[in-house]
Amino acid sequence: MNNKFKCLLTAMLGAALLLSGCGSDTGKTAKEEGKVFHYGTMAYGPAMQNASTDPHDTYCGWSTVRYGVGETLFKFDNEMNVQPWLAESYEQVDDNTLKIKLRDDITFSNGKKVTGEAVKACLEDLIKRNDRAPHDLKIDNITADGQTVTIHSAEKVPAMINYLADPYGAIIDMEAGIKDKIAVGTGPYVAVKVDDQGIELTKNEHYWGQTKPKMDKIIVRSITDGDSLSMAMQSGELDAVQGLPYASLPNFQDTSKYKISSTATSRVYQAAMNFKTPALQDDRVRKAIAMALDKDKFVNVLLNGNGVAATGAFPDTTPYGKGLNGPKYDPEQAKALLKEAGYTETNSDGYITKDGQPLTLRWLTYTSRQELPLLAEYAQSALKDIGIKLDVNATDNYKDFLKRGEYDIYAQAIVTAPTGDPEYYLMSKIYSNQPYNNGYYSNPQVDAMIDQLHNTFDRNQRNDLAIRIQQQILNDDAVLYASFLKMSFVMKKNVTGFAAHPSDYYEITPELDMQ
């Protein structure tokens, strides 16, 4: 009787549990949490720095905007044209003065209205704490009157509205402050937890936009191992991923299960020659290195076609990236140039020597972008073919080596047109003595053209100057441009409103939904 009673009780409890699930989609846990979106990415910026959604902290603004926490005064459309976002309109009063009229219906996620004074306070903190914004914006003073903000720059800044679309320009509530690395923005989602492992977000109940956020919770996970990212997507643990290894993409071609959104971006994989390295002060050596690499092979074979071979700093789909002539793949001519430079002997290992010393160069890069180790491996093989020994240092501590100058070639992935304008890259990476000019390249003619670009408002003239500057960089063999990233999002078939954008900024938007 006792055993029969136990069996009966078990059956009754099972039935009760079954009935309790009737009428709900996913049971009690899902009912409590609502609609949850699980997103895995290899490109979670702060995981490589100090995790934060404070846009004024180095490059943390990328996470602020990418994951829907903050929005900027201006944004880019799919053709990278700048458009008002939190701004309603703007007026270039004179060469040094920009007047911006804010929308009147914006609120922060805490329900507080976004006013001219709030924007003024945010921008003043930006230029006080960010390492790039002061140099970009050249702001002298800011005034606010109701919903109008007037920015006066110390000199002409023709690309001001483009710079204000950079993620560091995300508008946050300065009175609320930064608590637990969380900023209060205007976006469709609110960060509730931020650390090196990822970020957790909830719906912004005060979102001002016409399209309201559809997800109740979003969990962004930083997964820097490509195989782990792929397996998590295949197992159903994740709803969408960004940054899958190219070899994994064929696993997601089943359109009954998955969708893929891809777009070409201005993220270029480049290698800057260190002009402090004696051997690289000889242009023949730099040119030989450039001629030894077959960019088409790198893109089509090593990247499985998930990229575009580069000539200059900007894609030729942009008006300031057309008509450039760079070094062509020609290993025999590369060998001839090295011989002309005095490397006439070869040691027992097959490497060329000069005065008895082999030509050995240090290639510095990092691993968080899967293309960079592939580029380093390919460069090592290609340069060996022309007799140059390449010692590769692929490390996430690359900044320490940069500070100490312990490298001869520095390869990185960088978005060259984050503001939809060429000046940002040319001023920060090419202009003499700039902190991000990692090759220590200096050409007075190039500096003069960048100065002219900085003072030119006419769009056609700016494009022409940018092309001329890039051509001189290529003539000097100062930077080797390998390829541009083709970014792909892989998602479950039921995910909608989630698409790759050429700016590499906008990911979590109000349109995101799961059917």
Side-chain angles (χ1 to χ4, degrees):
M1 288 292 293
N2 191 39
N3 288 336
K4 289 182 179 179
F5 178 76
K6 287 180 178 179
C7 290
L8 179 61
L9 180 61
T10 301
M12 292 173 62
L13 286 172
L17 289 171
L18 181 63
L19 289 171
S20 68
C22 294
S24 68
D25 294 325
T26 53
K28 184 178 179 181
T29 300
K31 184 186 292 184
E32 289 176 348
E33 291 189 342
K35 298 174 72 173
V36 183
F37 181 73
H38 294 267
Y39 178 43
T41 176
M42 293 185 71
Y44 178 60
M48 295 175 284
Q49 304 166 23
N50 295 316
S52 176
T53 56
D54 173 11
H56 303 170
D57 181 5
T58 60
Y59 283 89
C60 293
W62 286 63
S63 292
T64 312
V65 174
R66 270 178 173 167
Y67 307 131
V69 175
E71 299 162 322
T72 50
L73 294 171
F74 302 90
K75 72 179 299 187
F76 301 106
D77 62 20
N78 287 327
E79 285 73 45
M80 289 301 291
N81 299 307
V82 66
Q83 306 287 348
W85 196 2
L86 299 183
E88 180 179 289
S89 61
Y90 70 95
E91 177 189 0
Q92 190 73 49
V93 179
D94 56 45
D95 285 352
N96 297 70
T97 309
L98 179 70
K99 181 179 287 188
I100 301 170
K101 183 180 180 182
L102 303 173
R103 294 177 61 105
D104 198 38
D105 56 352
I106 317 165
T107 58
F108 291 110
S109 59
N110 56 14
K112 178 181 172 183
K113 182 175 180 178
V114 176
T115 63
E117 285 293 341
V119 171
K120 175 179 181 290
C122 178
L123 294 179
E124 287 177 340
D125 187 73
L126 168 66
I127 58 178
K128 180 180 180 181
R129 294 197 293 119
N130 189 265
D131 58 348
R132 293 171 294 125
H135 181 79
D136 294 340
L137 302 172
K138 302 288 194 305
I139 292 178
D140 184 41
N141 64 73
I142 306 171
T143 60
D145 181 14
Q147 294 301 105
T148 300
V149 178
T150 302
I151 300 174
H152 184 82
S153 54
E155 57 188 73
K156 289 192 288 186
V157 185
M160 176 69 81
I161 63 171
N162 297 73
Y163 284 126
L164 292 174
D166 186 289
Y168 64 42
I171 302 303
I172 60 174
D173 183 4
M174 296 310 305
E175 290 186 355
I178 308 297
K179 298 177 182 177
D180 298 323
K181 303 177 181 179
I182 295 172
V184 175
T186 63
Y189 291 94
V190 179
V192 294
K193 181 182 178 181
V194 177
D195 58 32
D196 288 342
Q197 304 305 310
I199 177 172
E200 291 186 13
L201 307 151
T202 58
K203 181 188 299 184
N204 176 6
E205 301 291 350
H206 299 283
Y207 188 58
W208 61 275
Q210 287 187 341
T211 301
K212 303 302 179 184
K214 299 172 178 62
M215 305 306 299
D216 295 294
K217 186 176 183 179
I218 294 174
I219 299 175
V220 179
R221 290 176 54 193
S222 174
I223 304 177
T224 56
D225 179 75
D227 291 335
S228 298
L229 186 66
S230 180
M231 287 189 292
M233 185 67 200
Q234 286 180 288
S235 68
E237 183 181 342
L238 300 172
D239 299 304
V241 294
Q242 188 272 343
L244 280 176
Y246 300 128
S248 297
L249 287 175
N251 297 327
F252 302 96
Q253 300 300 316
D254 186 347
T255 56
S256 67
K257 295 181 179 179
Y258 306 107
K259 293 189 295 187
I260 299 178
S261 173
S262 299
T263 188
T265 73
S266 69
R267 183 179 291 278
V268 73
Y269 295 90
Q270 67 166 49
M273 309 290 179
N274 189 343
F275 277 71
K276 289 187 176 182
T277 298
L280 294 179
Q281 291 171 0
D282 190 327
D283 179 55
R284 293 168 295 187
V285 176
R286 300 195 305 273
K287 189 176 293 294
I289 293 171
M291 297 181 78
L293 272 66
D294 185 344
K295 298 176 185 179
D296 289 327
K297 178 181 179 181
F298 173 66
V299 168
N300 296 324
V301 178
L302 294 177
L303 301 188
N304 294 334
N306 290 281
V308 178
T311 300
F314 309 103
D316 60 12
T317 53
T318 64
Y320 39 84
K322 300 180 183 298
L324 296 168
N325 295 307
K328 305 299 182 183
Y329 173 62
D330 191 341
E332 294 306 315
Q333 179 61 25
K335 292 177 184 178
L337 285 170
L338 292 172
K339 186 174 182 179
E340 184 181 318
Y343 296 91
T344 56
E345 304 294 331
T346 303
N347 64 18
S348 59
D349 294 322
Y351 295 112
I352 56 175
T353 64
K354 182 178 182 179
D355 300 327
Q357 297 298 316
L359 179 52
T360 302
L361 299 172
R362 300 164 297 174
W363 180 287
L364 176 66
T365 191
Y366 46 91
T367 62
S368 56
R369 285 279 172 183
Q370 61 177 308
E371 297 84 357
L372 289 173
L374 291 174
L375 178 60
E377 182 180 352
Y378 173 60
Q380 189 175 49
S381 174
L383 293 187
K384 183 178 181 180
D385 289 343
I386 64 170
I388 298 177
K389 183 179 181 182
L390 199 64
D391 290 334
V392 173
N393 181 12
T395 173
D396 290 335
N397 295 322
Y398 66 96
K399 291 183 179 179
D400 294 335
F401 290 89
L402 284 174
K403 289 178 182 178
R404 295 194 296 265
E406 296 177 3
Y407 63 97
D408 302 309
I409 302 173
Y410 172 52
Q412 66 176 141
I414 181 172
V415 176
T416 56
T419 62
D421 185 87
E423 184 179 342
Y424 173 89
Y425 170 83
L426 297 172
M427 182 62 79
S428 63
K429 302 296 293 186
I430 301 300
Y431 199 86
S432 297
N433 302 317
Q434 291 302 303
Y436 293 102
N437 181 344
N438 303 116
Y440 304 100
Y441 172 62
S442 180
N443 182 322
Q445 180 184 356
V446 168
D447 287 349
M449 286 190 287
I450 295 176
D451 285 335
Q452 186 178 353
L453 176 69
H454 179 68
N455 288 284
T456 299
F457 283 90
D458 182 86
R459 184 60 55 182
N460 291 330
Q461 292 179 22
R462 291 178 67 80
N463 294 340
D464 179 65
L465 279 166
I467 292 170
R468 288 163 52 198
I469 293 167
Q470 289 173 88
Q471 190 58 61
Q472 189 59 55
I473 296 168
L474 293 170
N475 293 346
D476 291 339
D477 298 292
V479 182
L480 187 155
Y481 299 102
S483 70
F484 294 101
L485 170 69
K486 182 181 179 182
M487 184 172 63
S488 295
F489 292 170
V490 175
M491 67 201 81
K492 291 179 180 177
K493 186 179 179 181
N494 66 331
V495 175
T496 60
F498 190 63
H501 191 280
S503 72
D504 206 4
Y505 293 158
Y506 318 115
E507 295 185 3
I508 305 298
T509 68
E511 288 74 23
L512 173 65
D513 199 3
M514 296 175 65
Q515 302 299 325

